[in-house]
Amino acid sequence: GSSDGDDGASTDDGASSDDSASSDDDAMAEDEGDDAVAEGDILTGLGVDAENKVIRVGLNADLSGTFAALTTVIVEGQQVFWEKVNAEGGINGWTVEPVVLDNAYDVPTHLENYDVMSGDGAESVVMLTNSTGSPHTAAISEALVDDDLLAIPLSWYSGWTDPTIGQNVFEVQANYCIEAMNGVTYMSEQHGNKVAIAGFPGDYGEDGSLGAKVAAEALGLEIVYDGQAQVIPGADQTPIITGIVESGADFVWLTTGPGQTAEIIGGAAAGGYEGQWAGNSPAWNPALLGTDLGPVLDASYTHSTYTTLWGIGDSPGMKDLIDTMRELRPDAIADDVYIISWIEGLIAQQVLEQAISNGDITRAGVLAAANEIEVDLMGLAPNQSWGGEPNDSIVRGTYLYDIDASVFTPDGTVTDDDANRGYTLLEADYVSPTAAEWDYEPCFKAE
Amino acid sequence: MLEIANLEVVYNEVILVLRGLSIEVPDGQIVALLGANGAGKTTTLRAISGLLDVHEGAVTKGSISWNGEAIAGKKPSEIVRSGITQVMEGRRVFAEMTVDENLTTGGFTIKDKAATAASYDRVMELFPQLGERRSQTAGYLSGGEQQMLAIGRAMMASPKLLVLDEPSLGLAPMLIEQIRDIIVDINKSGTSVLLIEQNAMMALSIADYGYIMETGKIVMDGEPAKLLADDDVKEFYLGLHSGDDTEKKSFRDVKHYKRRKKWSS
Amino acid sequence: MIRLDRDNVPLLFLIGALIPTTIFLVIQAVNDPALFLETLIKALGLGAVYALIALGFVLIFKATQTVNFAQGALAAAGALFVSFLVADEHIPFTTVPNPLINIGPEWLGWGLSVLVALIFAALLGLIIERITIRPMVGEPLFSVAVITLGLEIVLRVFNNDTVKTEFRALEIPWGNGGTTVGGAFINYSVIAALITAVVAFVGVFFFYRSKTGIAMRAVAFDQEAAMAQGINVGRVFAIAWAAGAVLAAIGGIFATQPPVKQTGAVEPETANIAFRALPAVILGGLDSATGALLGGLIVGLAEIFAGQYAAGESDWLGAGYPVIVPYIVMIIGLLVRPYGLFGTPEIRRV
Amino acid sequence: MSESGTPLLELSEVTLRFGGVTAINDVSFSVADKELFAIIGPNGAGKTSIFNTISQVYRPQEGDIRWRGDSIMGTRPDRIAKLGIARTFQNIELFPQMTVIDNLLTGHHVRMQRSWLAGALWFGPAKAEEIASRRKVEDIIDFLEIGRWRKHPVALLPYGFQKRVELGRALAMEPELLLLDEPVAGMNLEETEDMARFILDIQRELGISMVLVEHDMGLVMDIADRVMVLDFGTKIAEGTPAEVQNDPAVIAAYLGSEFASTSEASKT
Amino acid sequence: MFGRPNLYTSYEQESQIFSTWTQKVLAAFGILLLFLLPFDIPAITTKIPGTGWLADIPVLGRVFSWSIGDGIPLVRFLGDADWLRPMTTVFMLAIAALGLNILSGVAGQVSLGHAFFMGVGACTGVFLGGESSEALYGLGLPIWIWLPGAGIAAVLIGIIVSPVAVKLRGLYLAIVTLGLVFVGIHLGNTSWGRKIAGPPALGRKYPELDIRLWKEEDPLINVSDDGRWLWFDVTDAQKRYLLYLVLAIAFAFVAKNIIRSRTGRALQAIRDRDIAAEVMGVPEFKYKLIAFAISSFFAGVAGALFAALSGQILAEAFGLFLSVEFIAILLIGGAGTTSGTLIGTFFVVMIPQFVEEITKWLDKSEGPIGGTVGELILTDGSGDLGVINTSTVTPGWTLSVFDWNIVLFGVLIIVFLIVEPLGLFGIWVKVRNYWKRWPFSY
Ligand SMILES: Nc1ncnc2c1ncn2[C@@H]1O[C@H](COP(=O)(O)OP(=O)(O)OP(=O)(O)O)[C@@H](O)[C@H]1O
Ligand SMILES: Nc1ncnc2c1ncn2[C@@H]1O[C@H](COP(=O)(O)OP(=O)(O)OP(=O)(O)O)[C@@H](O)[C@H]1O
Ligand SMILES: [Mg+2]
Ligand SMILES: [Mg+2]
């Protein structure tokens, strides 16, 4: 974890001058945080503007790349979250300023942004509340450890819990692998024991496919078609469709993107396949209900995810989210991913609260605080803590929803009372026996 | 009538090529424009037909008017429609297209189908060699055949003013004679002709009026008879060496030093 | 008799590869005729969509000698226009309701709206041509090609991020419905694509024999000489781009339908149809309408058949191998004919 | 120097067809050392095609071409250049974006040895060779009086000078035989005289043999040693200028009435 | 010599890259500056009065805020972490671009497959230099093997595809090479491809840049950790910068030599007139092959450096966009010239940085100029006139700053080619010609 106290907390040789020249304009403020300064009783460092009592958190997010449609909304939601927090007086009087940089879903750009956030300039931060993408987060994970920074990845890869990086990369919610175990278990209970699997290659796709296989083995299901790592975005999916149709599976577990989900389900339906479908959370997009496939999906798809969804349930977190959005962004479309924004925000808020009460908001201090607490996600999702063993910090509960076109309000705004993107809850915080017993190990290993 | 007055043309915003050039082509006449390589003949022609743009050139001074209307700055297509057609230097046939298709493009501006057909027959009559290669790809024609095609293509537009940039380039002696007759023919049928030629003898033999240009300016003009009588024209354009000796000198005896021309002093 | 010299080797190779393939396919056809027929029809449908996109490429190439790399973005934009007019029922970029959608029976209103969408596509093509291509008259062709790459980048951002192209339905009246013939399921949109491709092909084919068509080619080969013939190069460019954009839009609409996609909705990926169709254009020959049609069909057949019958081999072929099948077919084709099957060879002569 | 008896270049019964067109039909001729041999004939007679067969851009279907007694049929064009056959082209084929110097240096390419790897490192042999070549090329530039253009891209040069540069590029190849395709087309008399002077100097002082294709009969008849006349790809006459000039077949097919009247030009 | 200011006294002098004294001094100064750029060098210790407003200007302000504030001079601005990596990227991309310039700019063989060859280099690098495990291949060899090896492997692959490539012309070639890019990314999905490049969408760790004699523990020269070089404290990022700078200079020198020597002329001749070139004694096939090989070598090495800079290899990174970026570099810089290529690379990499700086500045500034302009073009999506949206989601028809960055890249390519088809180099030539009045007086 937080090893040798390097540039973060200690005073090093650099220009440690706290000369009176600091009365300069904005641009000057940046070299203030060059080293640890005691402000009142609180130890501050890089990423903090002690004079104005501002703490900066970073979002290294995809705002113009492959997942921009999704990520921009999440980032916007988190900005709303901080607006609210700051309006209510901040965290013990400290204002939180989100620094948003676009990684364009590109690893070199992610690294460039990370250099900025981990540096000592005006955009340095104490933690990253969003680090979009798996290869991207993997590329910075070692640096996070070196820099005493923590990051919340927008990626549910099962490897983040790894002890070497798990105290810096905060996996939030169940991972793809656990999700698939739960999903396959649930589906087999409902629909039968012949399962087909199809997914992308790589961390996401193969994590999900492997999770499905683990569950299938534990439950004694028959894997009639194995499409692990076979689905390639942009390619014609005929081989997979052919495979699924010929397999005669009772249900199919997909770890794909919405486009491929539609492609495969539509193709299989045209080929006469009549089984059921389910998949990891990213495989679904409610907009699909508005397409020609709407009826098929309504009848046969089960959506799995890690959290409660917009307007479903009456947890305090959901109430807070909806109220805040209604107040600050009344025109925004009601979107389930705001829940992710809120979860990221809640984690950062509670971590910073702890750090302030510890009297240390240097990077190392924040990191230490984060590993001390259990965050309360206010019913939006299972609570979580990271400090202990991997097995203790893994979340094992997921949520399952039935897709229901009749409750689908396509462009419902946050002020709509019955804004619903087409879900009815089947199971909340569902933990399958396989998932409950799972001993930590990355399902999909790169090395 | 085409009138060019005090024309100045600059390439690439730095290279001044025409320095106050003035030329007139009265209706129904053949006017010859002679000059050394690089004098700016082709540039003059580009200015007339509006093609300077393509070469990063621009008219910076002076005027060009066609039947009283200023045409500098107009689009090439408009200029062609107003009756000026040219045979471009270096043939410029559409290499990938057949002979027939090349001729079709020549008649692009003519709507009247019968007129087009008539022009086509005329071209075929004038250049029987083209007739034999009608559907052959133009790029594989010999140099001279391409030249014929270029002239034929221009004739398809039945222009009021035909501008020819070195039509005799690369043609066999017999064909040069033919071309000369063709030009006279075309002229007789009412088309004015501006003829740019290196073959001064041929050009002056049919022209009504002649200009001689050097480095962007007209240095001498007049009736062919007057030009032919000039010593410098005789020496530098006709190869008839000075004085009473009207015998053409052999190339083997060409001196290794040159006499200065009086106009370039 | 075929002599074995350097030029014949690829040809022999091709024949050598075709014979076992044919035998394999014949066996498959006998084995399961319904599946074979279904695959064949699907392949023809995909081929028709490729051919439509390819025709758009050819049209623009024939006038400008450049490949329009923005064709994909134009396809997506065209499909978006339809989605605006039909699903959202208003005129693009405004809140003005689309009055046509309620005229007559559903299919009529839809058809009229599509027509309007195509007009919008043509306008978009014209605007793009006017702003970015017209100033390049007389400039090096490769620069123009790269301009279209720049256009692709810009248009894509507008398509994806401004409009948020997330599964916007086109509400095609027949949806992904179809009929069953001889045990094979045929999507109506496959039939529609085939008919449209043939109609477009015939149109383009005859256009090239007209005077304007010849003028267009003249412009492509030598802009200056064409101007000197009185051809209005700007007008020719405009016609080509407008027509190219319309063909792209038609291709884009079909690219959301079976057999290409099942959803009948525009998504960011719709724009990729152009890159998928590029091999078809090159295989057929960049400047040949016939080539576009045949190239499209060949590539479509190769892709779908490979996807259907080589599915078992995907481990060593690599998952998603159908994406690169078109490129492989293209490279083999070019080995035999460097200018594609029907392309005009450049005149090289001294 | 070739041994007496073997001509420098010899074409025997060469026939070249393009589909239905017979561009060259059973043509034989030979060029001796230091000779200036001219080929004339109507447009499309096959003159340029003969050049193209000699440089092996076209492969004739029949016949044989020998260089110093050895057949060069099937040799690649760049090998032909290396043997010592240089040429100019009917439609200027300079490298338009390169400067005059670079065009000439490219001509000298065949006489340079250093590989691309030596060039990449520059220092040492490659540099020495570059500078030596540059010296040779400067001599040619002086000889052709194009010094003032040396650093201009050739595309911007007036036509006449481009023709000169093309001649210079061919000379830079240090050839033994030079093929000139219409070197004075498009030139006025003054420039034609210059070009004639260069051609004669090349023949006399450098001792290079030449084959000349030209429609300017004044020039051809004055400077050629021997003339061959082609019509429709077939040889119709060969001999000294005087013989050819008075051959009725040649007059009918090519010269026309006008040529006979060169001497009476003043009458017009 | 025709009224030129530069009079040469020998062909030898004229043949040098920097042929006059002024040029030599300027070049030496420039290179020295590049070497010093990443370091902080305190020099001016007092503030300059009346220069406060300088700090208000984007980009420049970053520079001046230092020199005004703490008396640290101009060169400090790269000391900021956020400028160091982009500059290192410039050097790395410049190597690849120089290679493509020889193939496309000089020899006229337009290739959209440059990213593919970079990918080949990157994969070879990780195969030779990476550690093996049950899921991955790797030989763990030192950098002096894997870096050149990356180039050589790319050359070998280049030679394999050249029989097709050499036959093709113009856009046919461009599209076939584009196909290579797709094929290359696809190979990452095969069972053996992922053992080299790592699994798709996750990638694999790249070998470090440390220079070792063989596989021993302690590197000869440590590049991957902070440390002391001579009398400087150097961070790993600065070390990498210096390493890449040295490589870029070496490759630029080689590229320039190739272009100005016999080979370069032969390539240009083929570009301009292939048949004529052949008749002049330049074997077309051989030289196209050489051009392909050289370009692939540059690409291969650059590809390995690309992945090393990320610390990670990912097959998807070597996609079409990268290839397009190179074409943009060549065209913006001016195809065919070495200096143009270098300028073009700098421009293409740095433009997004500048755009970001400027929007940030506009967003924050309140002053008379910045404030008004900011208000005019920025919007928070509330329906005012602005076209640049400062929020991340973009309601309505405005684009976010991040989208604008991409749009601007596209627009820049378009505008550049329309305004100056010869690129930055063309602009430079024009400016120079005004002064030299070349070649005619006007
Ligand atoms: N595009 C161009 N850019 C720069 N200079 C040019 C351009 N075109 C021509 N020039 C220059 O303008 C001058 C005149 O050229 P022009 O072609 O008009 O001459 P010309 O009289 O037709 O010569 P020729 O008899 O050789 O055809 C020449 O010196 C030439 O170098
Ligand atoms: N590559 C080719 N393909 C088809 N036909 C050709 C080709 N090259 C030449 N020809 C034909 O061969 C004949 C001879 O052409 P060539 O160019 O040799 O004539 P030439 O004697 O040089 O004529 P000119 O004096 O007009 O240049 C012409 O009829 C021409 O059309
Ligand atoms: Mg001229
Ligand atoms: Mg000829």
Side-chain angles (χ1 to χ4, degrees), chain E residues 27 43 59 204 206 212 236 270 370 388 411 414:
Chain E
V59 186
R204 169 183 186 182
Y206 213 72
R212 287 181 164 81
D236 57 339
I270 291 171
I388 303 180
V411 169
I414 297 170

Side-chain angles (χ1 to χ4, degrees), chain B residues 143, chain D residues 48 90 181-182:
Chain D
T48 303
Q90 182 170 8
D181 201 347
E182 303 197 9

Side-chain angles (χ1 to χ4, degrees), chain A residues 7 53 84 111 167 191 213 251 309 341 356 359 383 403:
Chain A
D7 46 15
K53 294 197 85 170
K84 181 205 74 170
L111 285 164
Q167 257 104 33
H191 302 291
K213 285 183 186 171
F251 70 98
L309 295 179
S341 317
I356 292 168
N383 295 346
I403 297 302

Side-chain angles (χ1 to χ4, degrees), chain A residues 30-31 63-64 72 75-76 102 107-108 111-112 115-116 123 134-135 139 142 201-203 206 229 232 444 446-447, chain E residues 65-66 70 81-82 85-86 133 135-136 189 194 199-202 205 306 310 312 314 353 360 391-393 402-403 406:
Chain A
E30 58 194 51
D31 51 327
L63 302 173
S64 60
T72 46
V75 170
E76 180 74 4
D102 175 22
V107 175
L111 285 164
E112 260 171 46
D115 284 351
V116 174
E123 292 179 322
S134 298
E142 281 178 22
D203 65 312
E206 300 193 44
I232 304 296
F444 173 62
E447 310 276 314
Chain E
S65 69
W66 290 102
D70 306 52
D82 44 332
R85 189 180 286 272
S133 69
L136 299 170
N189 293 330
R194 54 191 287 165
L202 199 56
K205 210 163 124 29
F306 179 97
S310 298
Q312 186 212 36
L314 194 64
Q353 312 279 333
K360 265 185 221 156
S391 77
T392 59
V393 244
F402 312 102
D403 287 335
I406 305 181

Side-chain angles (χ1 to χ4, degrees), chain A residues 6 33 59 83 94 337 398 402 429 435:
Chain A
D6 49 329
L59 290 90
E83 268 177 52
W94 289 80
V337 297
T398 54
D402 182 33
D429 202 359

Side-chain angles (χ1 to χ4, degrees), chain B residues 91 141-144 170, chain C residues 349-350, chain D residues 42-49 90-91 181-182 213 215:
Chain B
R91 300 157 193 155
L141 295 178
S142 85
Chain C
R349 197 190 158 196
V350 287
Chain D
N43 294 115
K47 305 178 293 296
T48 303
S49 298
Q90 182 170 8
N91 295 315
D181 201 347
E182 303 197 9
V213 165
H215 288 299

